[in-house]
Amino acid sequence: MTDIDETAHRVRAGDGPDTGLDAHLVVDRGGFRLDVPLTAAPGEVVALLGPNGAGKTTALRALAGLVPLTGGRLRLDGAELERTPPEKRPVGVVFQDYLLFPHLSALDNVAFGPRCQGATRAEARAQAAEWLARMGLADHAGAKPRRLSGGQAQRVAVARALATRPRLLLLDEPLAALDARTRLEVRAQLRRHLAEFEAVAVLVTHDPLDAMVLADRLVVVEHGRVVQEGTPPEIARRPRTDYIAQLVGLNLYRGRAGGHLVRLESGTALTTTEKLTGPAFVAFPPGAVTLHRERPADTSARNLWRCEVAGLETHGDRIRADLTGELALAADLTTVAAAELGLEPGAGVWAAVKAAQTHAYPA
């Protein structure tokens, strides 16, 4: 039995509460400090989501053993991995640029891991052929990476990571190198492969769609700290920072609630259907906002603010207006509506939102 086999055996020996990932990643790098608790059960896909510089890739590299922890812990299936060198960890990694060996065929790229674990050349190539077949790449086994499309190279990279039968699969922006059309197809394929994976998978991405589609649970990281975690619907329904609200397309405000009224620090008040007391968030989609050039006399909306158009941009098949004034917010409207209102930067408007279209929840 090789050193890798022994480590893998010890890790797989854990069961019950000791199965899965139990980590508290603390890394100090210059003036930046990563402090992220992270747990996951076998079969669970967790996405680390956050803006550039949040610490997502540092967390991934710490899990892989490529960056040493300065504190915290790292346990996988009950085994402590803090002092285990990267090559002896039962961890598979799919890098952002895939990092396939350019001089090896797809088959030998995938066979590399089993060979390092002690398999004979014939055994390793047989395992690799099986993985390529699962990925729909049996006909490309002899191709060098330069002959593969972006989607094919991505699937070879996933097969190479899975061929070692890891207990922890790490994926660093696995779809970032693909064009939009290829990403749509590969995302669906990757979701199927992750659903079949029996151990823990951790995905790093800044793309909310990748995170929502691929992950069972999201951990949102900003400035090296976890700011929110939950299932994709929970995160989308109740964002707790401006970054998350922008990702899921909501206007978000924090204030103090008293009954159906939430008052912001600026003094602006928002009327909601929920009845709350104490610190609260209020959220509503840009599509819930209606704009008027004159103060409307016949609106049933309980929320009405005097604003000014700060900017306009195309957003899908609609126009998004960024507004400042009594309340800073985004409003979506059709191209026809924008033209009829004569919207342009600097134009004054009234923004209305019905209380029934807001969502308030405790902060």
Side-chain angles (χ1 to χ4, degrees):
M1 183 179 290
T2 66
D3 289 339
I4 293 178
D5 292 333
E6 289 174 359
T7 301
H9 177 76
R10 289 195 304 271
V11 169
R12 293 189 183 99
D15 55 23
D18 289 333
T19 59
L21 177 67
D22 176 21
H24 183 190
L25 307 175
V26 180
V27 178
D28 291 303
R29 305 189 74 180
F32 178 80
R33 182 178 177 85
L34 177 78
D35 190 342
V36 171
L38 186 63
T39 60
E44 187 176 22
V45 180
V46 177
L48 293 179
L49 182 65
N52 290 334
K56 308 182 302 295
T57 298
T58 299
L60 195 83
R61 290 174 65 83
L63 290 170
L66 302 176
V67 171
L69 295 180
T70 52
R73 67 181 181 278
L74 176 52
R75 298 191 184 100
L76 186 61
D77 291 346
E80 296 184 0
L81 296 185
E82 294 95 328
R83 293 180 174 81
T84 304
E87 67 275 12
K88 293 184 179 179
R89 297 186 182 195
V91 176
V93 184
V94 178
F95 296 97
Q96 180 174 342
D97 297 323
Y98 313 141
L99 298 182
L100 298 177
F101 301 119
H103 62 292
L104 297 182
S105 66
L107 183 72
D108 287 328
N109 262 280
V110 179
F112 181 82
R115 284 285 281 158
C116 290
Q117 290 181 323
T120 66
R121 186 170 185 269
E123 291 170 342
R125 299 192 96 201
Q127 293 176 34
E130 181 182 341
W131 278 107
L132 289 177
R134 290 189 193 183
M135 299 289 170
L137 293 173
D139 293 340
H140 297 83
K144 298 288 180 64
R146 66 178 179 275
R147 300 295 184 186
L148 300 173
S149 68
Q152 290 166 346
Q154 194 265 3
R155 281 181 282 162
V156 172
V158 172
R160 184 176 65 176
L162 293 175
T164 61
R165 303 192 180 278
R167 297 302 298 161
L168 174 62
L169 178 65
L170 306 176
L171 303 102
D172 186 10
E173 301 279 5
L175 305 179
L178 304 177
D179 59 62
R181 184 174 181 178
T182 305
R183 179 180 290 200
L184 184 65
E185 177 185 355
V186 174
R187 184 188 291 119
Q189 294 171 344
L190 182 57
R191 177 57 189 163
R192 289 196 297 272
H193 295 313
L194 291 176
E196 297 170 355
F197 185 57
E198 297 179 352
V200 175
V202 177
L203 163 77
V204 161
T205 183
H206 69 276
D207 187 314
L209 184 56
D210 289 349
M212 296 283 180
V213 171
L214 297 174
D216 302 307
R217 183 162 53 90
L218 309 183
V219 176
V220 185
V221 179
E222 296 183 41
H223 308 295
R225 301 288 191 277
V226 175
V227 295
Q228 189 172 357
E229 63 179 299
T231 65
E234 289 170 347
I235 297 292
R237 178 69 173 160
R238 294 190 167 195
R240 304 189 73 82
T241 72
D242 289 338
Y243 166 75
I244 304 170
Q246 291 171 8
L247 283 184
V248 300
L250 292 175
N251 292 295
L252 179 69
Y253 307 94
R254 180 170 182 160
R256 179 164 287 276
H260 295 286
L261 204 66
V262 177
R263 190 167 299 279
L264 311 184
E265 286 187 3
S266 63
T268 301
L270 291 88
T271 301
T272 70
T273 54
E274 293 90 353
K275 188 175 182 179
L276 298 172
T277 301
F281 287 108
V282 180
F284 55 85
V289 183
T290 58
L291 299 182
H292 312 265
R293 288 307 296 266
E294 305 294 334
R295 184 186 181 103
D298 57 350
T299 181
S300 60
R302 301 290 298 276
N303 296 297
L304 187 64
W305 307 287
R306 180 75 168 129
C307 298
E308 181 178 298
V309 177
L312 298 167
E313 62 180 353
T314 303
H315 195 78
D317 60 350
R318 301 175 73 81
I319 300 296
R320 173 158 295 181
D322 290 319
L323 308 176
T324 59
E326 293 181 8
L327 189 71
L329 71 157
D332 285 349
L333 60 165
T334 65
T335 304
V336 172
E340 290 178 345
L341 288 169
L343 295 186
E344 61 181 8
V349 294
W350 288 87
V353 177
K354 294 181 179 180
Q357 292 180 296
T358 67
H359 176 49
Y361 47 96

